[in-house]
Amino acid sequence: MTKLVILEIRDADNEQRYPVTLRICDSINYQNFQSTVSGKFPPAKDLIESYDNLKRNRMDRGFGSYRKLEKLKKAQVTNVSVKELADAVEISVNNWLNFPDSDFQDVRDLLLKVLSAHKNDVRVIIETDNISLWSFPWHLWNKFQEFEIEPSFCLLTTNMNSDLGQINYKNKIRILVILGEDSDINIAVDLQLLEESIDHNNAEIKTLTATNSSKLDDELWKQNWDILFFAGHSYSENDYSQGKLALSETESIAIKDLKYGLENAIKHGLKLAIFNSCDGMGLVKELASLEIPAIIAMRERVPDEVAQKFLEHFLNAFAREKKSLRDSVMQARKKLHVMDIQYPCASWLPMIYEHRAVEPPTWDELLKGNEEERQRVSIWRNLRALLVASVLVTGAVMGVRWLGLLESLELPAYDYLMWQRQPEPIDSRITVVEISQEEVDKYGGYPIKESALAEIVNKVEKYKPAALGLNISRNQPRIKDNRDITARKNWIKSFQENQNFYTVCSYQSSAGDYAPPPEFSPKQLTEQVGFVDFFDNNIQDNKYQTVRRQLLSYDPNYLPKSSKCSTPYSFSFLLAFSFLSSQNRPLQVNENTKNWQLDRVIFNRLASHTGGYQSLDGNSSQILLNYRANRRPAKIVSLTDIVEGKVGESAIKGRVVIVGYTAGVARDDFNTPYGQMPAVWIHAHMTSQILSAVMDNPKRPLLWDLPKWGHLQWGDAVFVWLWALTGGVLVIYVRPRLYLTIVTCAASLLLYYICLAILNQGGWMPLVPSALALVATGSGLVIYKISKNRQPE
């Protein structure tokens, strides 16, 4: 609990000794004094003499631009001479307050005891009507410096029963800034420092520049102010009986002439006045008589550069670091100390007046004083701006997305997320037989001979696979000798005898090489030939040429007229269905939706707007391809291993066996989220997806996106809107902007990991639109707040 220490000093007696009473109490209970001791200060003749000498020499020096009404003449006084006089003053202050005088000993002992016991948690007020004592640099006493005490001043005649500043109808800290006459000085810097230091969400500035007394008085009456700030030229009478402010080049005004306006302002919440101008003690005395809670002013003439630096350091401590008034002035004084070299005694100039019945306000307490109204208005204003901004941004982002303008960003982002998923084991139900370049050369070049093809079929057939798929188009036989003719007949016969053997054709190609074998019956052409095309027939844009989707079937009515491949089923679908049929998994088709259903799993067709895709063809039974998170989807063996009998029964029996080229000469590689991949591997991934969805569900479900209503992706829109709201909330509650940038980056990273985690569970979330909404909403609100705060009153 803060201790209040009051040094009550009366006018000097005939011996030039100042009667003093030390009173100690809790700050919150200032009328209940816990300790009281009286005594007398020693005569201060040496201090008064040395201090008057210093002031006279500083006045004669006349260096720099001062914030004083009168023009000053320059004189030849060196920094060294003034520094010596300042050192003499500091010595005199310490000699005076440390003098071993019995009349002062009890007062000093009790004061030091309190300072030692409570250290920084002490509020020291020097209470006197002798204003000349206010000018003493009390802060130079070594005991105040040891315990880091910034003494303040108060009048003895202060009304202790005042009820100050209890009426607050403001939702922000309101600061009235008066920029007076500015000849030879730059007071625009003061306004700039104020603008940069305050948070415009919680504070606002009203500026009167080169105004007149009538306008100033009107503002004091019609508005409720928390802080009054003046920068410009000012002046105090020698006896401090009066102070004047230069409002403009043509008008100056005394505090007494604003008495009623100031009384009204104080009654309605004015808590702090700051005079960043010269000779402020006359101003302080007059304003203190009106019972204002706190004043900061300069004791003497202040150089323009010193006034600017003081304000900068004070605001940094008070408005940004939220220190107390005393600690803020002390910190500013310490940082001004370096300027004592160029401007001797510059750090001595600031002083604080405090009404002892009122704890000086901190920045946070000024906010709390207006908290209820401020929060009500601020919450509604922020909520309204947040809702409007988030809805507008979400609408704009989703509109741009619907037009397909984000696909170039969304699809690569989706690929990267797929690649980042948790690794999975290969599918033990599938074996891939690769035909490498070495084996192409070994078996008679590309395409391989009929005899080699027949040998593969014969070797695999004897181990009874669940399905055998030849991803090798063989419309025209490759006959070199009678052996190849016999081999061709044998593998055709194998297909006739084994309904679970499948080969391929391509509906996108008009070339005869990609047509089904001419020896096949119409039934075989429908049931044992599957198309191997990865893309919709009408899609030629390269942006789709990464394999992310799987075609299960295609309506033959939409096939090109030149196509020689009329099978409605994909190669991977036939292989998976063959395996599932052996497991007694039924197949159904919904006549209305045309969606396939294997067992209890429905394979919903992709809508034209699905995930990041915005113009898919709805004519095919097409689903997203849920790659196994492993570049190799299944057990891989070579053609040579098969031919030479190095592959055991366990690698084939009851499995889906897929044979295809990995040789470069086949030009059969495609882009995937896992990089370039041969087609035979992709077909294995597709087959594995169907088997996993039916047999391993829910561990490995089909990929899905958020709900839609027709072409409207409302589920994605809600998700994007939530992140737009997040961006706005961060702007409202996180300050300063460096922290906002860091937290926004953290939120973006969180969004990424949420999308990755959901993709591990099969869901494609709108990562790119959400990130754009997050940043765009936050940026929009920042711009809105900046523009709003810069609007003139």
Short mmCIF file of all heavy atoms in Angstrom, two decimals, residues 39-69:
data_model
loop_
_atom_site.label_atom_id
_atom_site.label_comp_id
_atom_site.label_asym_id
_atom_site.label_seq_id
_atom_site.Cartn_x
_atom_site.Cartn_y
_atom_site.Cartn_z
N GLY A 39 9.11 20.17 13.38
CA GLY A 39 10.47 20.68 13.57
C GLY A 39 10.66 21.92 12.73
O GLY A 39 9.70 22.57 12.31
N LYS A 40 11.93 22.22 12.48
CA LYS A 40 12.24 23.40 11.66
C LYS A 40 13.40 23.07 10.72
O LYS A 40 14.36 22.38 11.12
CB LYS A 40 12.62 24.59 12.55
CG LYS A 40 11.46 25.20 13.30
CD LYS A 40 11.91 26.45 14.05
CE LYS A 40 10.75 27.11 14.79
NZ LYS A 40 11.17 28.35 15.48
N PHE A 41 13.25 23.54 9.48
CA PHE A 41 14.38 23.44 8.55
C PHE A 41 15.47 24.41 8.99
O PHE A 41 15.18 25.50 9.52
CB PHE A 41 13.95 23.81 7.14
CG PHE A 41 13.32 22.68 6.38
CD1 PHE A 41 11.98 22.73 6.06
CD2 PHE A 41 14.07 21.59 5.96
CE1 PHE A 41 11.39 21.70 5.35
CE2 PHE A 41 13.49 20.56 5.25
CZ PHE A 41 12.15 20.60 4.94
N PRO A 42 16.71 24.09 8.74
CA PRO A 42 17.79 25.05 8.98
C PRO A 42 17.64 26.23 8.03
O PRO A 42 16.95 26.14 7.01
CB PRO A 42 19.06 24.24 8.67
CG PRO A 42 18.65 22.81 8.67
CD PRO A 42 17.20 22.79 8.27
N PRO A 43 18.28 27.34 8.27
CA PRO A 43 18.24 28.45 7.33
C PRO A 43 18.77 28.01 5.97
O PRO A 43 19.71 27.22 5.87
CB PRO A 43 19.16 29.50 7.97
CG PRO A 43 19.13 29.17 9.42
CD PRO A 43 19.02 27.67 9.51
N ALA A 44 18.14 28.53 4.93
CA ALA A 44 18.51 28.11 3.57
C ALA A 44 19.22 29.23 2.84
O ALA A 44 19.14 29.35 1.61
CB ALA A 44 17.26 27.69 2.81
N LYS A 45 19.94 30.07 3.58
CA LYS A 45 20.58 31.24 2.98
C LYS A 45 21.53 30.85 1.86
O LYS A 45 21.50 31.42 0.76
CB LYS A 45 21.31 32.03 4.06
CG LYS A 45 22.00 33.29 3.53
CD LYS A 45 22.71 34.04 4.65
CE LYS A 45 23.41 35.27 4.11
NZ LYS A 45 24.15 36.01 5.17
N ASP A 46 22.41 29.86 2.11
CA ASP A 46 23.39 29.47 1.09
C ASP A 46 22.70 28.89 -0.14
O ASP A 46 23.11 29.16 -1.28
CB ASP A 46 24.35 28.42 1.67
CG ASP A 46 25.29 29.03 2.71
OD1 ASP A 46 25.39 30.28 2.74
OD2 ASP A 46 25.89 28.26 3.48
N LEU A 47 21.66 28.10 0.10
CA LEU A 47 20.95 27.50 -1.03
C LEU A 47 20.26 28.58 -1.86
O LEU A 47 20.34 28.56 -3.09
CB LEU A 47 19.91 26.49 -0.52
CG LEU A 47 18.96 25.89 -1.57
CD1 LEU A 47 19.73 25.21 -2.69
CD2 LEU A 47 17.98 24.92 -0.92
N ILE A 48 19.59 29.53 -1.19
CA ILE A 48 18.89 30.59 -1.91
C ILE A 48 19.88 31.43 -2.72
O ILE A 48 19.65 31.76 -3.89
CB ILE A 48 18.10 31.47 -0.93
CG1 ILE A 48 16.97 30.64 -0.28
CG2 ILE A 48 17.54 32.70 -1.63
CD1 ILE A 48 16.26 31.37 0.85
N GLU A 49 21.02 31.72 -2.10
CA GLU A 49 22.01 32.55 -2.77
C GLU A 49 22.60 31.83 -4.00
O GLU A 49 22.70 32.40 -5.09
CB GLU A 49 23.13 32.90 -1.78
CG GLU A 49 24.18 33.84 -2.37
CD GLU A 49 25.23 34.23 -1.34
OE1 GLU A 49 24.90 34.23 -0.13
OE2 GLU A 49 26.36 34.52 -1.74
N SER A 50 22.98 30.56 -3.82
CA SER A 50 23.59 29.83 -4.94
C SER A 50 22.57 29.57 -6.05
O SER A 50 22.90 29.62 -7.24
CB SER A 50 24.20 28.51 -4.46
OG SER A 50 23.20 27.69 -3.88
N TYR A 51 21.31 29.33 -5.65
CA TYR A 51 20.29 29.06 -6.66
C TYR A 51 19.94 30.34 -7.43
O TYR A 51 19.75 30.31 -8.65
CB TYR A 51 19.05 28.46 -6.01
CG TYR A 51 18.09 27.87 -7.01
CD1 TYR A 51 18.51 26.95 -7.96
CD2 TYR A 51 16.74 28.25 -7.01
CE1 TYR A 51 17.62 26.40 -8.88
CE2 TYR A 51 15.85 27.71 -7.93
CZ TYR A 51 16.30 26.79 -8.87
OH TYR A 51 15.43 26.27 -9.78
N ASP A 52 19.83 31.48 -6.71
CA ASP A 52 19.57 32.75 -7.40
C ASP A 52 20.71 33.07 -8.36
O ASP A 52 20.48 33.57 -9.47
CB ASP A 52 19.41 33.88 -6.38
CG ASP A 52 18.08 33.82 -5.66
OD1 ASP A 52 17.18 33.09 -6.16
OD2 ASP A 52 17.92 34.48 -4.62
N ASN A 53 21.93 32.80 -7.95
CA ASN A 53 23.09 33.05 -8.80
C ASN A 53 23.03 32.19 -10.07
O ASN A 53 23.31 32.64 -11.17
CB ASN A 53 24.38 32.77 -8.02
CG ASN A 53 25.62 33.28 -8.74
OD1 ASN A 53 25.55 34.25 -9.50
ND2 ASN A 53 26.74 32.61 -8.53
N LEU A 54 22.63 30.92 -9.88
CA LEU A 54 22.50 30.01 -11.04
C LEU A 54 21.41 30.50 -11.99
O LEU A 54 21.62 30.56 -13.20
CB LEU A 54 22.17 28.59 -10.54
CG LEU A 54 21.81 27.57 -11.64
CD1 LEU A 54 22.99 27.33 -12.56
CD2 LEU A 54 21.34 26.27 -11.02
N LYS A 55 20.26 30.85 -11.46
CA LYS A 55 19.17 31.31 -12.31
C LYS A 55 19.56 32.58 -13.07
O LYS A 55 19.23 32.73 -14.25
CB LYS A 55 17.91 31.56 -11.47
CG LYS A 55 17.25 30.29 -10.96
CD LYS A 55 15.86 30.54 -10.43
CE LYS A 55 15.91 31.33 -9.12
NZ LYS A 55 14.56 31.48 -8.53
N ARG A 56 20.25 33.47 -12.39
CA ARG A 56 20.66 34.72 -13.03
C ARG A 56 21.63 34.44 -14.18
O ARG A 56 21.52 35.01 -15.27
CB ARG A 56 21.29 35.63 -11.98
CG ARG A 56 21.57 37.04 -12.46
CD ARG A 56 21.87 37.98 -11.30
NE ARG A 56 22.83 37.43 -10.36
CZ ARG A 56 22.51 36.99 -9.13
NH1 ARG A 56 21.25 37.05 -8.72
NH2 ARG A 56 23.44 36.51 -8.32
N ASN A 57 22.56 33.55 -13.93
CA ASN A 57 23.53 33.23 -14.99
C ASN A 57 22.89 32.46 -16.14
O ASN A 57 23.25 32.65 -17.30
CB ASN A 57 24.68 32.41 -14.40
CG ASN A 57 25.72 33.29 -13.73
OD1 ASN A 57 26.64 33.76 -14.37
ND2 ASN A 57 25.54 33.54 -12.42
N ARG A 58 21.95 31.57 -15.85
CA ARG A 58 21.25 30.87 -16.92
C ARG A 58 20.40 31.84 -17.73
O ARG A 58 20.28 31.70 -18.95
CB ARG A 58 20.36 29.76 -16.36
CG ARG A 58 21.15 28.58 -15.81
CD ARG A 58 20.25 27.43 -15.38
NE ARG A 58 19.62 26.79 -16.52
CZ ARG A 58 18.33 26.83 -16.79
NH1 ARG A 58 17.51 27.48 -15.98
NH2 ARG A 58 17.83 26.23 -17.86
N MET A 59 19.84 32.83 -17.06
CA MET A 59 19.06 33.83 -17.77
C MET A 59 19.96 34.65 -18.69
O MET A 59 19.62 34.91 -19.85
CB MET A 59 18.37 34.76 -16.75
CG MET A 59 17.55 35.88 -17.38
SD MET A 59 16.02 35.27 -18.11
CE MET A 59 15.11 34.90 -16.62
N ASP A 60 21.14 35.01 -18.19
CA ASP A 60 22.07 35.81 -19.00
C ASP A 60 22.62 35.02 -20.18
O ASP A 60 22.98 35.60 -21.21
CB ASP A 60 23.23 36.30 -18.13
CG ASP A 60 22.80 37.31 -17.10
OD1 ASP A 60 21.71 37.89 -17.29
OD2 ASP A 60 23.53 37.51 -16.11
N ARG A 61 22.67 33.72 -20.03
CA ARG A 61 23.24 32.89 -21.10
C ARG A 61 22.44 33.02 -22.38
O ARG A 61 22.99 33.20 -23.46
CB ARG A 61 23.30 31.44 -20.64
CG ARG A 61 23.93 30.52 -21.66
CD ARG A 61 23.88 29.09 -21.16
NE ARG A 61 24.47 28.21 -22.15
CZ ARG A 61 24.08 26.98 -22.37
NH1 ARG A 61 23.08 26.49 -21.67
NH2 ARG A 61 24.68 26.23 -23.27
N GLY A 62 21.13 32.94 -22.27
CA GLY A 62 20.25 33.20 -23.40
C GLY A 62 20.53 32.38 -24.65
O GLY A 62 20.39 32.87 -25.75
N PHE A 63 20.95 31.13 -24.51
CA PHE A 63 21.28 30.30 -25.68
C PHE A 63 20.08 29.45 -26.07
O PHE A 63 19.44 28.84 -25.23
CB PHE A 63 22.46 29.40 -25.34
CG PHE A 63 22.87 28.49 -26.47
CD1 PHE A 63 23.61 28.99 -27.53
CD2 PHE A 63 22.49 27.16 -26.48
CE1 PHE A 63 23.97 28.16 -28.57
CE2 PHE A 63 22.84 26.34 -27.53
CZ PHE A 63 23.59 26.84 -28.58
N GLY A 64 19.78 29.39 -27.37
CA GLY A 64 18.71 28.53 -27.85
C GLY A 64 17.39 29.28 -27.98
O GLY A 64 17.31 30.48 -27.73
N SER A 65 16.36 28.56 -28.43
CA SER A 65 15.02 29.12 -28.58
C SER A 65 14.18 28.70 -27.38
O SER A 65 14.01 27.51 -27.14
CB SER A 65 14.38 28.62 -29.88
OG SER A 65 15.14 29.03 -30.99
N TYR A 66 13.68 29.68 -26.63
CA TYR A 66 12.96 29.39 -25.41
C TYR A 66 11.47 29.64 -25.60
O TYR A 66 11.04 30.46 -26.40
CB TYR A 66 13.49 30.26 -24.26
CG TYR A 66 14.87 29.86 -23.80
CD1 TYR A 66 16.00 30.39 -24.40
CD2 TYR A 66 15.02 28.92 -22.78
CE1 TYR A 66 17.25 30.01 -23.98
CE2 TYR A 66 16.28 28.53 -22.37
CZ TYR A 66 17.40 29.08 -22.97
OH TYR A 66 18.64 28.70 -22.56
N ARG A 67 10.68 28.88 -24.80
CA ARG A 67 9.23 28.99 -24.89
C ARG A 67 8.73 30.03 -23.90
O ARG A 67 7.92 29.77 -23.03
CB ARG A 67 8.59 27.63 -24.64
CG ARG A 67 8.99 26.60 -25.68
CD ARG A 67 8.24 25.31 -25.59
NE ARG A 67 8.52 24.45 -26.74
CZ ARG A 67 7.85 23.34 -27.04
NH1 ARG A 67 6.85 22.94 -26.26
NH2 ARG A 67 8.16 22.62 -28.09
N LYS A 68 9.26 31.29 -24.05
CA LYS A 68 8.91 32.37 -23.14
C LYS A 68 8.35 33.53 -23.95
O LYS A 68 8.72 33.74 -25.10
CB LYS A 68 10.17 32.80 -22.37
CG LYS A 68 9.92 33.81 -21.26
CD LYS A 68 11.21 34.06 -20.51
CE LYS A 68 11.02 35.13 -19.44
NZ LYS A 68 10.12 34.70 -18.38
N LEU A 69 7.46 34.29 -23.31
CA LEU A 69 6.82 35.37 -24.03
C LEU A 69 7.82 36.43 -24.49
O LEU A 69 7.81 36.87 -25.62
CB LEU A 69 5.77 36.03 -23.14
CG LEU A 69 4.45 35.26 -23.00
CD1 LEU A 69 3.57 35.91 -21.96
CD2 LEU A 69 3.74 35.21 -24.33
#
